Every structure is written in C-alpha cells, then in structure tokens.
C-alpha cells in the first residue's frame, strides 16, 4: 500500500480550526459510528485531520484513503488490515497480517469473523477513519463494511467520510443514539469562520463584501478559500461572484459537475436562468417530464440545490453563476430563449415580477412593453418599483407611451426627483389621448396630487386632491392608491378623526391585497394625522412601522422614508432626546430634502441650538423661515415660529425675535401660537404680569392651536412670569398642570429645556408631587444628560445696535453720530458687549458674535 493511502493529511497553514465541530466529534467519543457526509469542498478531510492532530485521539487513530482500486474487495480489505495492524497500540498486529485475504472476503463469513475476533481482543480503543468512501461503487466492499459495522468490535470506533451518506444500515445505531452525523449544513462555515478563513489567508475585505461572499458560497469551504485567493487580484472578488474566476470554474467543472451525467448537466444549465425553481418551471425550461424527480435527486447534493420557499428549490449561487457565465460565453442565443421561456411561464402563473425580469434578460422589447401595459399599475401599488425601473430602463424610449411615461414620473416622485417627474408629466400632457382609459386618467390625477404634496403648496394640493375621481378608479387596480392620495391631499379640508378611520380601512384592504406601496403610504399618512392630532406616541408607532418596511432592499431613499424619519426626529425632539433628533433627520437636514420638508431643517436647527451650537442652529431656522410662502402648511409655519423665536430670545437676539413675531402674524398662525409668541416677548421685556396673563389665557376656553404642545410651552412661560411676580402658589399650580400635560402627551421638551428657575422649582418640589415625582426625576435626568454649555448673557437692544456697527470699522465718534448718542454712551455699550462676549478687542467681539449667531458671517449685519 502507498504510504499516503494510510496516513492522515497534514493540516495546511491556512487551516481554520472549527471548535464547534471538533467539540461535536469529541463529545460523541462513546458512539461507535460517526458519519461525515457532504459534497466536494466542504472541508470533511481537513476537519477530521485537525481533529486527530489536536484532539484526544492523537496517536490512537488509523486512516485509510479510499480510491477506485478499493472496488476490488481483496485490495480494500488488504488496506484495512494493513492500517489496523499498524496501529501503535495494536497487540494483535501479527495475527491480522497473517490472515489470508480470500477471493471474495465480503462473502466469506469465516474471514470476517476472524477480523472481528482479533479486533475484539484489542484492549486499547482505536479509531478507524475511512475517507472518500464515495469512491466505492461496487457492492462487494460495501457488503463487507456493513458486516464490520454490524458486528463492530467493542473498542473500534468507525468514522466514515464521503460525498454521500454511506449505503449502510445505520438505523439501529441512530435509534440507540450510537451514531454521530455531520452533514453539509453542519459543515457550512459561519460568518465568523469565514472571516477567520480570510484572515488566515492574509486578506482583508470590507464586512459588506465578506457578507456577500459568505452568502454566495453558502458557507462552502472551498468557495471561501478560492474567494480569499481571488481577493488578492484586481476585481477578483467581483469576478469570483460572477462565476468568472478561472480557478473556481475549473474546480466546479472538475469536482462538482463532471461526475454528473451529461443530461443532468444540461438540465442544470437550463434551469440556471432562474434563482428559485418549482418543478413546473424546471419542466418548462428543460422540456423534461421527469424534472420534479430530478430536482429531488439533485437536492440531496447540497452543493447543487437546496430548499427555498415551500415547494421550491434554489441553485447554489456559485454554481448558478458559473453555469450562466458558461451560457453567455458558449450559447447566448439559447440563454435568451431560456429567459423568454421563463417569462412566459411566470406570466402564465400571473407572476408579473418574474415575467418582467426574465423578459428584460431575454432582451425582448416587444415582450417588455406588452407586460408593462398589462402589469405596470399593479406593480406600482405593490411596491415593485425596482422591477418597474429595470423594465422601463430596458426600453429604447419608454416615453412614447403615456402610461409608461406616467409610471416613470410616479417612480421619480417616490424618490423625490421632482424635476425629472415634471419633464415626464409635460410629455404626458403633450401626448394625451383623446379618449384615455380610466387607468391612465386616474394615474395622472394621483401623480399630479403627489407632485403637489411634495411641493408643499397647500392650495395646489387641495385642488389636485379634489380632482381624483374614486368612482373612475374602481376596477383599475389603483382604487386604494387613489383613496389614500385623495385623503392625504384633503386633510386640511376635513375632520382628522374621520380621515384617520377612512385611511385605516384602506390600510386593511392594502395589506390584504399585498399592495405594499399603498400600505406604506397609509402608514405614513396615519403618522402625519397622529402628529396633527397631538397623538405623538401613535405618530412614532406608525413611523417606526414604515422605517421597518424601508429596511428592505430597494426601499431606501424614498420620500415616505424621509417623511417618517422626520416624524421620528420630531418624536425624539419632543422627548428632549436631541442627539437622536439630529441623527434621525434625513439627508442633510435642509429644507429642500425631498419628502422631509421644512420641518426637518427646523428640528435639526432647534436641536443644534439647544445643544450649544447656537449659530448654526439659528441659521438653519432662519433659512427655513425665508423659504416658507403663504401657501406653506400651517404646521411648518407654527413650528418654525415657535422654535426660532425661543432660540432668538434665549440668545438675546431681540430684533430677530420681533421679526419672527411679525412674520408669524403675516402668515396667519393660530391664536394659541400667537399668544405664546407675544407672552414670550413680554417676558423678555420684563413685563411679567402681562406675560403671565397672556400665557395663562391659553388655558381659559378653547384657544385654537396648530401644535398640540403649545399649551405646555405656554405653561412654562407662565411659571417663569409668576415666579418673577412672586406668585409662587400660582406658579406651582401651573407647573403641576404642565407636568400633567407633559406626562400624558409624552412631550418633555418644554420642561427639560425650560429656564433654570423652572428646573430649580421642579427640584425643590420633589417629594411633594405625589405620583408625578418619578416622572419629574426622569425629566431632570434627561436635562442633566444633555449638558449643554451655558447660554451667553443676552445683549440689550442698544448693545445690539452698537454691535451691528462694530464690523464697519467706524470710530466710536462716528458710531455715536449714527446712533445719535454721546461717545461716552457708545463706550459704555462697547464695554458691556466685551464683558458679555468675554473678549477684550473689537475684532474678537465681531468673531464671537458671528459664532453665536448675533452677527451674520457674510455681511456683518446683526441677526438679532
């Protein structure tokens, strides 16, 4: 016998030891039979070699590499006897070697009994590893091995390794828990083991790429090893994943596919055009009536097919990539025919996604157009937007058809690409048919309303929503989308509770019909309604539901995703979790972010301001205010006014605060928000009585408000004013009311970020607030966790007037002349400015004022 036939291989330097599998082999030491079976390249041999080299069985095992010669029974048994007799602890070695191997040893009971008897006298336990047992194709050696297993000597443990489960009767051992089995699924590399494989090869790849390789290889050891080698070459990993790596191709061809019959290889190549397969699809692609049976047979080979969804099988990604690359190279015409067969099969089963994808891959323009005409509306409402884009991009000119152009416009709007959508809507208008079908009219009206919604022009949105004809939409497949779009467009014209119920009913129908896009639209709109109703917990719940859905591939970067991110940011802001608010604001947090609207920038600016980034925060809010027109939604106007004025007053920018108040009046904000702004202005002027009266009037009667938490903010103003007038009892009652509203609504921001005297009162009242003590502690803890830098001392109006002139380099006398005051008065104001800004020089005063937002960085004009 060759020495290599009876020796375990030496583990290579790049070997990744796998403790979880070694532990399985160790803990099953008392079981007499171990079976390790998996297709080529799963690491069976190296695993067993590692186990014997480092485990408790080191020096107590013998190894036989089975090959084609072993189909000769005499050769097979000679190898076994040589291996067993060479065991270091074998005391009966001579007896074994003295045995004459008969002509048919497996059929000779006396010979087999002698072998068993000699081994049974062996006192030391031994392990016999038989590797590559799949090389045995003749029944004789298997019969003899079956007898050895059946009459196994007491001290002998058999480890049987091969590409297939051995054709032995092992049921008795399995029932008696005397059998250890490691199959392909056990041998697949985990993500951590795959990472260790790359590290052992001296290759570092990004985690995302490693995940792709691990998924494509399905934990196949050789696949990962070849991928690690490919990673060292330019574009090596991408070529590997595409099935174009030369080494991978050779291994698959030689070790995986070549042992199969030619007809089976042809079958695999035919079905490779689809990722998942049913027996019917496999029959349509291959033309074989026995396709179902062949799929079952191949599924037993884990390297080729594995179960997917119920009743479906999936080709190994690497094998599939190789087969497709081979088809592209050798027979592209056949590849196109196969894709078209798959498209026809999917269309016949009313599976539009598969039908369109396969038609695009077939390169059949007429087929793509035919399928789009039939399925475009259905695919849009179902959320298959990636597939629609894929199909439309495959057409030479999709804009020749008004339906395709409208779908393109609608798709672009869902990604916030309004300019592109406008171009497409213009083309639709120019080519509008004289007698448009209902589906075309409904889709146009829904798309125009969506465009108005994204432009945030309330007047245009109301008009566009009113044009949507729900009766016309019936039986077009767009009825649910039309319903939710009309409701969201007309929210300002109807009662919110009724709108909430109607959209809830649409949501139920959309979920039942599998219309994922409509479901997302419903959830987004319900979140926006909950926000306007002041139900901030429900708002966050709807927004989280959309965020969870948008984690799926192909759903990122949508306007609904941006809109719900703003709702989540708003919820974080109201909970005074300001860092989370900034993190949740979508995109760059600008007022131009598609789907986000001005609220995103206002929230980001206000959160930045509260965290000590005063200048950037105030600038963001100022930019939003400048962008809002008379047709802007009332919620955007009110939020901007309430938060910007608060920041301006805290920073001592009195002129800006007055500017915000005048702007809010011109924009027609509700009376509650106006009262709050005026009360704050009076408080800043030291008119505590008037501020307390104005803020307190918000609690008398039903004062219309846009923001549901305006009353809590007004209560804080009233508390500060009452403390200023010495009315502590009234202040305490008002503070208790504010705590009650804050806890009930989940709005913490007004109390967490309240002036220091309010926080002091909350601290002083601890222990006397009853059931609200615990809530108050949570508010104060949140306040301490924010830890913003202290606000600078505010400048007086006259100091701000002087500050505005400091960047002009005018002399003190010239500034005095401009302000019609004496030079000494100007000097006094300059000293006050220097003291409040903690500077000693004019240049430093200008620089610090710009950083704090008291001066504009570009022209030196005061922002206050």
């Amino acid at each position: 016998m060759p020495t290599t036939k009876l020796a375990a291989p030496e583990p290579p330097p790049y070997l990744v030891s796998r403790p979880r599998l070694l532990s399985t082999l160790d803990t099953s030491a008392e079981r007499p039979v171990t079976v390790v079976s998996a297709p080529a390249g799963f690491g069976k041999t190296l695993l067993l070699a590692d186990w014997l080299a480092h485990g408790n069985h080191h020096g107590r095992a013998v190894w036989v590499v089975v090959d084609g010669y072993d189909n000769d029974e005499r050769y097979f048994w000679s190898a076994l006897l040589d291996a067993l007799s060479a065991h270091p602890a074998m005391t009966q070695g001579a007896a074994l070697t003295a045995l004459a191997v008969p002509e048919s040893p497996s059929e000779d009971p006396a010979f087999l009994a002698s072998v068993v008897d000699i081994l049974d006298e062996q006192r030391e336990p031994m392990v016999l590893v038989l590797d590559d047992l799949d090389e045995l194709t003749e029944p004789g050696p298997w019969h003899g091995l079956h007898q050895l297993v059946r009459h196994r000597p007491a001290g002998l443990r058999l480890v049987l390794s091969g590409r297939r489960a051995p054709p032995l009767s092992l049921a008795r051992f399995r029932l008696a828990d005397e059998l250890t089995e490691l199959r392909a699924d056990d041998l697949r590399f985990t993500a951590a083991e795959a990472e260790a494989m790359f590290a052992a090869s001296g290759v570092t790849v990004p985690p995302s790429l490693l995940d792709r390789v691990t998924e494509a290889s399905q934990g196949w050891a050789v696949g990962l090893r070849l991928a690690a080698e490919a990673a060292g070459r330019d574009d090596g990993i991408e070529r590997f994943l595409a099935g174009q790596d030369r080494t991978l191709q050779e291994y698959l061809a030689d070790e995986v596919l070549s042992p199969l019959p030619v007809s089976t290889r042809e079958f695999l190549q035919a079905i490779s055009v689809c990722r998942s397969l049913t027996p019917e699809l496999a029959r349509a692609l291959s033309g074989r009536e026995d396709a179902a049976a062949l799929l079952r047979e191949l599924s037993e080979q884990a390297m080729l097919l594995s179960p997917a969804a119920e009743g479906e099988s999936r080709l190994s990604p690497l094998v599939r990539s190789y087969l497709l690359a081979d088809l592209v190279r050798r027979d592209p015409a056949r590849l196109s025919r196969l894709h078209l067969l798959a498209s026809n099969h999917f269309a016949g089963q009313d599976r539009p996604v598969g039908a369109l994808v396969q038609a695009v891959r077939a390169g059949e323009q007429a087929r793509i157009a035919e399928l789009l005409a039939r399925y475009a509306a259905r695919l849009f409402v179902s959320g298959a937007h990636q597939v629609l884009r894929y199909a439309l991009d495959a057409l030479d000119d999709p804009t020749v058809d008004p339906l395709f152009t409208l779908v393109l416009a609608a798709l672009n709007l869902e990604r916030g690409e309004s300019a592109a959508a406008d171009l497409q809507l213009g083309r639709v208008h120019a080519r509008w048919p004289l007698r448009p079908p209902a589906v075309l009219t409904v889709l146009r009206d829904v798309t125009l309303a969506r465009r108005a919604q994204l432009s945030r022009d309330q007047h245009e949105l109301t008009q566009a929503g009113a044009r949507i004809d729900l009766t016309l939409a019936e039986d077009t497949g767009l009825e649910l989308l039309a319903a939710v779009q009309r409701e969201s467009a007309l929210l300002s014209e109807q009662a919110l509770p009724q709108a909430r119920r109607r959209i809830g009913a649409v949501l139920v129908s959309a979920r039942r019909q599998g219309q994922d896009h409509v479901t997302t639209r419903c959830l987004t709109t319900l979140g926006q309604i909950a926000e306007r109703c002041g139900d901030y917990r429900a708002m966050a719940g709807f927004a989280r539901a959309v965020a969870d859905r948008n984690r799926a591939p192909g759903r990122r970067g949508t306007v609904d995703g941006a809109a719900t991110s703003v709702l989540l940011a708003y919820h974080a802001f109201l909970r005074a979790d300001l860092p989370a608010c900034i993190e949740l604001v979508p995109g760059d947090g600008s007022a131009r972010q598609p789907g986000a609207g001005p609220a995103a920038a206002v929230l980001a600016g206000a959160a930045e301001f509260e965290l000590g980034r005063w200048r950037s925060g105030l600038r963001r809010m100022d930019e939003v205010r400048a962008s809002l027109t008379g047709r802007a939604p009332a919620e955007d106007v009110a939020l901007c006014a309430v938060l910007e004025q608060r920041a301006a007053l805290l920073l001592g920018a009195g002129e800006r605060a007055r500017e915000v108040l005048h702007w809010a009046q011109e924009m027609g904000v509700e009376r509650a928000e106006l009262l709050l702004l005026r009360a704050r202005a009076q408080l800043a002027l030291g008119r505590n009585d008037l501020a307390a009266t104005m803020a307190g009037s918000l609690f008398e009667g039903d004062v219309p408000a846009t923001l549901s938490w305006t009353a809590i903010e007004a209560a804080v103003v009233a508390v500060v004013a009452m403390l200023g007038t010495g009315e502590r009892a009234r202040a305490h009652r008002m503070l208790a009311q504010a705590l009650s509203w804050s806890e009930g609504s989940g709005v913490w921001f007004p109390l967490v970020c309240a002036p220091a005297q309010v926080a002091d009162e909350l601290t002083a009242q601890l222990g006397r607030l009853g059931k609200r003590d615990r809530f108050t502690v949570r508010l104060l803890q949140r306040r301490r966790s924010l830890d913003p830098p202290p606000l600078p001392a505010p400048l007086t109006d006259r100091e701000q007037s002087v500050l505005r002139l400091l960047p002009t380099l005018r002399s003190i006398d010239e500034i005095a002349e401009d302000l019609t005051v004496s030079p000494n008065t100007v000097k006094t104001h300059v000293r006050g400015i220097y003291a409040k800004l903690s500077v000693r020089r004019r240049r430093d005063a200008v620089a610090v004022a710009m950083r704090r937002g008291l001066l504009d960085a570009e022209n030196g004009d005061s922002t206050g």
Side-chain angles (χ1 to χ4, degrees), residues 481-692:
L481 178 64
V484 69
Q485 184 61 68
R486 181 180 170 86
E487 291 291 342
S488 60
L490 300 178
L491 284 180
S492 61
E493 306 295 318
Q494 53 195 355
L496 293 179
Q498 288 83 344
R500 193 171 184 173
R501 284 196 296 273
R502 287 193 292 270
I503 294 177
V506 175
L507 174 62
V508 171
S509 298
R511 280 175 165 161
R512 186 172 59 247
Q513 297 180 31
Q515 296 190 11
D516 282 356
H517 176 61
V518 179
T519 298
T520 300
R521 292 287 304 279
C522 288
L523 291 169
T524 303
T525 307
L526 287 170
Q528 292 165 338
I529 292 175
E531 180 260 320
R532 290 184 49 186
C533 292
D535 189 352
Y536 299 117
R537 293 186 176 91
M539 172 192 79
F542 288 124
R544 289 192 192 100
V546 176
D548 290 341
R549 296 171 66 82
N550 284 346
R551 290 191 181 96
R555 290 186 178 175
R556 295 173 185 171
T558 65
V559 292
D560 280 323
T564 51
S565 291
V566 174
L567 295 181
L568 291 173
Y570 193 19
H571 184 253
F573 181 85
L574 294 178
R575 296 280 291 183
D577 190 353
L578 304 180
C581 170
I582 293 173
E583 184 177 342
L584 285 164
V585 167
D588 59 1
S590 71
R592 297 174 297 279
Q593 178 71 24
V602 172
L603 291 170
E608 283 185 358
F609 182 91
E610 298 295 337
L611 291 172
R613 300 196 288 275
W614 305 307
R615 179 176 177 273
S616 62
L618 206 52
R619 181 180 292 280
R620 275 185 191 260
M621 290 184 276
D622 181 54
E623 289 172 352
V624 173
R625 180 162 51 88
S627 71
L628 295 176
T629 67
R631 292 186 171 186
E635 295 80 11
D636 292 346
V637 175
L639 188 66
C640 183
V642 167
L643 292 178
E644 187 182 4
Q645 190 218 32
R646 167 192 165 84
L649 289 173
L650 286 172
L651 205 58
E655 284 192 28
R656 172 174 288 190
R658 286 190 290 274
E659 184 182 314
V660 173
L661 176 56
H662 295 323
W663 174 78
Q665 291 172 321
E666 292 173 359
M667 296 291 284
V669 300
E670 289 284 7
R671 184 162 170 255
E673 280 74 36
L674 272 182
L675 276 173
L676 171 61
L677 299 180
R678 289 170 179 159
R680 282 178 178 164
Q682 296 303 319
L683 185 64
L685 294 171
R687 299 168 184 167
N688 293 324
D689 288 333
L690 191 52

Side-chain angles (χ1 to χ4, degrees), residues 286-358:
S286 66
R288 293 184 58 155
E289 292 300 320
D290 64 342
L294 193 50
L295 284 177
R296 284 195 300 272
E297 180 184 332
L298 291 171
S299 293
E300 296 175 2
Q301 302 183 44
M303 188 55 234
L304 294 174
L305 283 174
S306 58
E310 185 177 354
E312 293 188 354
S313 301
R314 177 169 295 174
L315 264 174
S316 160
L318 291 182
V319 173
R320 179 170 179 259
S321 296
Y322 165 76
L323 293 170
L324 282 175
D326 191 55
L327 262 178
V328 170
R329 184 173 61 254
R330 295 176 183 272
D331 197 350
R334 184 189 180 209
L335 177 62
S336 181
R337 290 194 301 272
L338 288 168
H339 280 308
L340 195 55
L341 282 172
S343 177
N344 293 336
H345 175 81
F346 286 128
Q349 293 199 326
D350 197 30
R351 295 173 62 182
V353 170
L356 258 179
V357 168
Q358 293 295 331

Side-chain angles (χ1 to χ4, degrees), residues 53-69:
H54 300 100
N56 296 329
H57 299 283
H58 183 59
R60 292 162 47 194
V62 292
W63 186 290
V64 177
V65 179
V66 179
D67 54 39
Y69 291 110

Side-chain angles (χ1 to χ4, degrees), residues 753-766:
C753 297
Q757 54 265 52
V758 176
D760 292 342
E761 285 298 319
L762 285 173
T763 304
Q765 289 292 309
L766 283 177

Side-chain angles (χ1 to χ4, degrees), residues 257-271 286 288 290 294 297-298 334:
L257 298 172
S258 65
L260 301 175
V262 173
S263 59
T264 302
R265 295 202 298 270
E266 287 290 317
F267 174 78
L268 286 170
Q269 194 142 55
I271 66 175
S286 66
R288 293 184 58 155
D290 64 342
L294 193 50
E297 180 184 332
L298 291 171
R334 184 189 180 209

